[in-house]
Amino acid sequence: MFRVEGGATLDFADREPLHPCFPRESIALFNPFKRRTFLQAVVAVAATTTFGCSDDDSTDASDGSPYFPQSLASGDPRPDSVVLWVRVEDKDRAGDNLPLRLEVSPTEDFKTLVLDKKDLSALAEHDHAVKVKVTGLSARTTYYYRFSYEKDGQKHTTRTGRTRTAPAAGDDVPVKFVFASCQDFIGRYYNAWQRLLQLDADLDFVVFLGDYVYETTGDTSFQSGDGGRAMRFSAPEEALPQGTGLTAFLAANSLSNYRDLYKTTRTDRQLQGVHERYPFIIVWDDHEFSDDCWQDVATYEDGKRDETQLTRKLNAEQAFLEYIPLDTAQSGAGAIDVGSEPRFPNSRIYRDFEYGKHLKLLVTDYRSYRPDHLIPEDAYPGGVVLDATLLGAALQDQPDAVKQTFQTDTFAYVNIDDAAYANQKQVLQGVYLSQAKAAGLTDAEAAQKAGQWVTGPVALYYVNQVLAAVNKGLVIPPGDKPRGLAYAHMGKAALFNIQGSRYVVVKDTFDLFAAVKFKMTAGKSEDVFGPAQEEWFQQTLTTAQNTWKMVVSSTSLSALIWDFRQQADISDPTLRQRFYFSVDQWDGFPTKKKVMLNALKAGVTNTLFLSGDIHASFASVEEGVPTLTAPAITSGSIKSLASLALIGAGYAAGAPVYQHAVVEMEKTLQASNPGLRFADADSHGFVLVEVKADETLATFHLIPAGEVAKDYSKRADSELEAKFTAKTFRVKNSDIQPA
């Protein structure tokens, strides 16, 4: 429960009116489902610029196999520098540091070198992965590079990589890039990357928005082994066991586990090919550490136990920094010291890039500093979060119809600690203990939780249902009781559950609760970026003189709402509400999102958000700010996950709820958000962006989700090409329209 301290006042004058329709009983719309997404790891090693001629003609070179099983990559391109990456593997010298040579040339034949660095060392302590920052380069120039390892007089060389530096500040040139996210390896194939290679587009770079790897070995809620690709840990005993019986799987925990994720994912030839051809700009999301994480806290237990996992978080970050060609500390030329790069809680992967006159790219970090989800997974549904005083203040500027709704019996509550309710409290705590132990808690854990939650103000809307099931004589009349808002009113129907906490949350009551908490905590409850990143974000945006200011966010800003209020074929009044699909993304911080977007609309021209994570394609205008959301490269689409969840919850494929939420998902989402210009909930792919002086074009290249289980790498190019469609949109004057 929140209390006003020091005479604080609450101002909600700029909030949209609440709809006077709220849930009256438990909501069981969806079973929990898990998104899996994880981004990239970044490290840079820079080298002094030297000039010379290649001595390649006098050596016997190979294509790198088996000594370079992950090939090579480049990243973080700037006008005068780029980060180059490689990993060498020699099983005969697994514990030794291994010598490497790096050659960089403006020509593919390497006849002229701008860098010939022969003193590199791939350190065993960093899994023989090396990042080198090459400086002194020319702006907007294509360079070729290769690493080599000599053993027993034989020179073993990587494939040739190609990279490109950024244009110089102020250069009046167009910019072309691709952005993508979410590449689950298990049971799926990277046909989207293969299609990008087919297009052979003249790109400046590729932005990867997170979930570069997935931390689990076969979570049956979203991963499938049917496609023939698996993730196995070399040290499974170091991993975290999850699930039981046929649904058992492992989650990465140790440094070895996290390294295995990258090593396996980067063996894919299509992914290697894209890395070999284009520099990447990468940010992490959740799966690089743990699904739906925040800071160093995981969510597998859904609130049953504390999942603060600092050591695991540091292991995840180290692997990311070792394997991702990223420069977190603005290093000088030469090999980047991964060991000295800042780690949680001082991580800094947010950074910005300038691409000539027309593009400033801000890469933000959504996961490292954000607070917990506003509704705890272990929240007691009956727990009151806004008492009569706070609720009254929050409703002060709302229409009379909304105020009257909150005066109904649905919102009545009592203080269960009052002596008059001793019998009811005993029953409620007993039921809680039983439910908690059934969920897997020990007697002591369940007792601690019951004492924490079944106390103070509780909503009769929820507790009377529990009491009636035990003894109808214990039901408490609501008529003369005060009115307040509880977790149950936001869709929380059960303990230790993501339904009503991270997913499928009642929008109107949640927005009200979020706004009050935001005011009470001076914004800390929704402080997504943290103080330092927020300062960088505001300063960079407001001082940028580039035509376009594009913000990279690992999670989507498009409001994903199911509005079932007018669906006459849905007879259950508890379902005829507005629901947020996911509050793990920006919808989960609605007050901060609105404040941020309104400030951008008022003070920054030509802002465009580039987002991912949600495994669907969206183009929308949010509070006057355009936003694009890329589909997943692979993984389960929103539509397929929602289908499994609804069927699992007992809804037949022909049920009205299934029809609106799954079959007509795109139609429902667009009808619920007038700013949503485009929605595709059942395709994978990537988005190609062309930045011009007067407009930006964004083309979604999409393949049906069912095709990712098929390996097109051994088929004719025409077969894959035939599976893809392209949809282009024009971003101009703060709007998005089909081109």
Side-chain angles (χ1 to χ4, degrees):
M1 182 176 67
F2 302 103
R3 303 182 185 278
V4 179
E5 299 179 1
T9 59
L10 302 176
D11 181 10
F12 302 93
D14 63 345
R15 295 189 67 260
E16 62 177 314
L18 299 175
H19 191 277
C21 184
F22 295 105
R24 298 185 293 109
E25 59 191 48
S26 302
I27 298 171
L29 182 55
F30 292 100
N31 278 349
F33 66 86
K34 297 180 180 177
R35 306 171 295 97
R36 301 292 171 173
T37 51
F38 178 103
L39 187 62
Q40 316 69 341
V42 9
V43 278
V45 265
T48 357
T49 301
T50 59
F51 295 86
C53 298
S54 171
D55 62 356
D56 187 58
D57 292 343
S58 62
T59 61
D60 184 12
S62 75
D63 69 353
S65 179
Y67 296 102
F68 300 99
Q70 287 78 36
S71 192
L72 38 61
S74 68
D76 278 18
R78 299 187 184 277
D80 63 348
S81 68
V82 69
V83 177
L84 306 180
W85 178 93
V86 78
R87 176 178 177 270
V88 59
E89 183 177 289
D90 186 343
K91 291 180 172 57
D92 295 332
R93 303 179 61 190
D96 298 341
N97 297 333
L98 304 178
L100 287 176
R101 177 185 179 185
L102 168 62
E103 299 166 275
V104 181
S105 173
T107 59
E108 196 169 4
D109 60 10
F110 289 90
K111 294 301 182 182
T112 301
L113 300 180
V114 298
L115 175 67
D116 187 4
K117 190 166 180 59
K118 301 179 180 180
D119 60 349
L120 286 174
S121 184
L123 304 180
E125 66 177 299
H126 292 306
D127 208 23
H128 298 107
V130 175
K131 292 189 298 184
V132 180
K133 187 171 183 179
V134 180
T135 62
L137 302 176
S138 299
R140 200 68 180 285
T141 301
T142 296
Y143 289 94
Y144 300 88
Y145 64 100
R146 62 190 180 190
F147 292 86
S148 57
Y149 169 60
E150 187 170 331
K151 181 178 182 181
D152 299 331
Q154 175 72 34
K155 179 181 176 182
H156 301 274
T157 306
T158 62
R159 300 183 185 95
T160 296
R162 185 181 76 184
T163 191
R164 176 184 285 180
T165 52
D171 281 0
D172 188 357
V173 294
V175 179
K176 184 183 293 186
F177 65 92
V178 156
F179 71 97
S181 71
C182 306
Q183 52 183 20
D184 187 9
F185 181 88
I186 298 174
R188 298 174 170 111
Y189 295 88
Y190 296 157
N191 300 321
W193 288 137
Q194 183 178 345
R195 178 60 182 153
L196 180 57
L197 291 172
Q198 285 181 355
L199 293 176
D200 194 22
D202 185 24
L203 303 180
D204 288 285
F205 56 92
V206 173
V207 174
F208 200 87
L209 299 149
D211 296 340
Y212 190 91
V213 296
Y214 281 69
E215 84 279 20
T216 51
T217 62
D219 184 341
T220 55
S221 68
F222 74 98
Q223 289 176 320
S224 168
D226 295 341
R229 304 223 294 187
M231 184 68 66
R232 297 181 178 87
F233 294 138
S234 56
E237 71 280 1
E238 297 174 357
L240 295 178
Q242 302 291 320
T244 57
L246 296 177
T247 64
F249 61 95
L250 298 175
N253 179 41
S254 67
L255 178 57
S256 169
N257 294 159
Y258 280 106
R259 285 170 170 170
D260 286 342
L261 301 177
Y262 292 93
K263 282 189 280 196
T264 301
T265 299
R266 288 268 273 274
T267 59
D268 181 88
R269 188 65 196 101
Q270 309 306 323
L271 177 59
Q272 288 180 358
V274 178
H275 273 297
E276 291 163 7
R277 190 169 298 189
Y278 306 114
F280 271 57
I281 296 172
I282 298 174
V283 68
W284 56 43
D285 189 41
D286 53 346
H287 288 286
E288 287 86 345
F289 167 44
S290 192
D291 181 43
D292 286 358
C293 62
W294 57 279
Q295 297 182 32
D296 61 340
V297 183
T299 61
Y300 297 135
E301 296 277 355
D302 290 329
K304 290 192 286 290
R305 298 173 185 87
D306 180 14
E307 290 186 84
T308 303
Q309 299 170 343
L310 176 58
T311 300
R312 183 179 179 226
K313 170 67 171 174
L314 294 175
N315 289 337
E317 286 195 355
Q318 178 163 333
F320 180 87
L321 294 172
E322 289 173 340
Y323 276 83
I324 299 299
L326 169 153
D327 178 18
T328 64
Q330 297 298 293
S331 307
I336 294 175
D337 181 6
V338 175
S340 67
E341 292 190 278
R343 309 292 169 84
F344 183 84
N346 301 310
S347 316
R348 178 167 176 170
I349 65 166
Y350 62 87
R351 57 209 192 276
D352 56 271
F353 298 84
E354 188 158 357
Y355 267 78
K357 179 179 180 180
H358 299 303
L359 177 60
K360 170 71 80 170
L361 190 73
L362 290 82
V363 180
T364 65
D365 180 355
Y366 180 85
R367 293 290 173 182
S368 295
Y369 316 104
R370 57 158 288 171
D372 193 1
H373 304 86
L374 293 179
I375 302 176
E377 292 90 339
D378 65 335
Y380 185 52
V384 173
V385 293
L386 300 183
D387 65 5
T389 301
L390 287 175
L391 181 59
L395 295 174
Q396 184 175 358
D397 297 304
Q398 292 293 325
D400 289 342
V402 173
K403 294 178 182 178
Q404 291 169 7
T405 297
F406 280 95
Q407 291 307 310
T408 63
D409 289 349
T410 299
F411 297 94
Y413 71 91
V414 298
N415 186 342
I416 202 65
D417 294 329
D418 287 350
Y421 305 121
N423 290 338
Q424 286 90 342
K425 180 176 181 178
Q426 183 178 12
V427 169
L428 293 172
Q429 287 196 322
V431 171
Y432 186 103
L433 286 169
S434 176
Q435 292 176 338
K437 287 189 285 188
L441 274 69
T442 65
D443 289 350
E445 290 172 333
Q448 187 274 326
K449 290 278 190 182
Q452 172 189 350
W453 285 109
V454 190
T455 186
V458 294
L460 297 182
Y461 160 68
Y462 174 79
V463 301
N464 272 347
Q465 295 179 61
V466 177
L467 295 172
V470 176
N471 182 350
K472 291 184 178 180
L474 294 174
V475 170
I476 303 170
D480 61 345
K481 305 303 186 291
R483 274 34 180 169
L485 183 69
Y487 289 117
H489 299 130
M490 293 182 278
K492 192 75 166 68
L495 310 178
F496 316 121
N497 201 323
I498 64 174
Q499 177 187 317
S501 57
R502 302 203 306 270
Y503 296 91
V504 194
V505 169
V506 179
K507 178 186 187 302
D508 298 297
T509 43
F510 179 78
D511 286 349
L512 179 67
F513 165 62
V516 173
K517 194 169 184 181
F518 187 89
K519 183 70 174 180
M520 297 297 298
T521 63
K524 291 184 180 179
S525 60
E526 300 186 37
D527 186 9
V528 177
F529 290 151
Q533 183 176 198
E534 182 71 30
E535 181 180 1
W536 160 83
F537 181 73
Q538 297 294 342
Q539 182 177 7
T540 305
L541 271 178
T542 55
T543 59
Q545 299 299 309
N546 311 74
T547 305
W548 294 90
K549 280 70 67 175
M550 297 191 185
V551 181
V552 171
S553 171
S554 64
T555 64
S556 179
L557 273 89
S558 290
L560 304 184
I561 302 164
W562 281 296
D563 187 351
F564 297 142
R565 293 174 299 180
Q566 306 303 319
Q567 302 297 347
D569 56 346
I570 297 179
S571 58
D572 186 347
T574 64
L575 298 179
R576 294 181 67 174
Q577 311 293 332
R578 289 198 296 182
F579 296 93
Y580 281 128
F581 178 84
S582 168
V583 292
D584 182 60
Q585 61 174 33
W586 276 95
D587 281 345
F589 298 116
T591 322
K592 173 63 177 178
K593 175 182 172 181
K594 186 170 185 177
V595 169
M596 175 181 70
L597 293 177
N598 282 339
L600 294 178
K601 179 175 62 175
V604 183
T605 59
N606 288 334
T607 304
L608 174 63
F609 275 82
L610 311 174
S611 306
D613 174 64
I614 200 67
H615 303 181
S617 302
F618 300 109
S620 69
V621 178
E622 306 291 327
E623 302 289 344
V625 178
T627 180
L628 301 169
T629 300
I633 292 294
T634 60
S635 198
S637 69
I638 280 184
K639 186 169 285 192
S640 64
L641 292 171
S643 175
L644 291 172
L646 279 172
I647 291 173
Y651 293 97
V657 168
Y658 189 97
Q659 181 72 20
H660 295 300
V662 179
V663 179
E664 300 176 356
M665 179 178 284
E666 291 89 349
K667 178 182 176 181
T668 299
L669 291 173
Q670 288 185 277
S672 304
N673 177 3
L676 196 60
R677 307 285 192 261
F678 170 67
D680 186 319
D682 202 27
S683 297
H684 295 310
F686 55 87
V687 184
L688 192 153
V689 180
E690 299 175 75
V691 183
K692 303 179 181 181
D694 60 342
E695 65 180 11
T696 288
L697 298 177
T699 302
F700 290 80
H701 291 265
L702 303 174
I703 185 172
E707 298 298 321
V708 299
K710 304 173 185 178
D711 182 3
Y712 278 88
S713 65
K714 298 176 178 63
R715 304 188 188 187
D717 286 352
S718 58
E719 290 189 48
L720 181 60
E721 181 181 359
K723 296 296 182 181
F724 269 86
T725 58
K727 298 181 183 295
T728 302
F729 294 85
R730 176 176 285 106
V731 184
K732 191 172 185 177
N733 299 326
S734 300
D735 196 12
I736 298 176
Q737 294 294 336

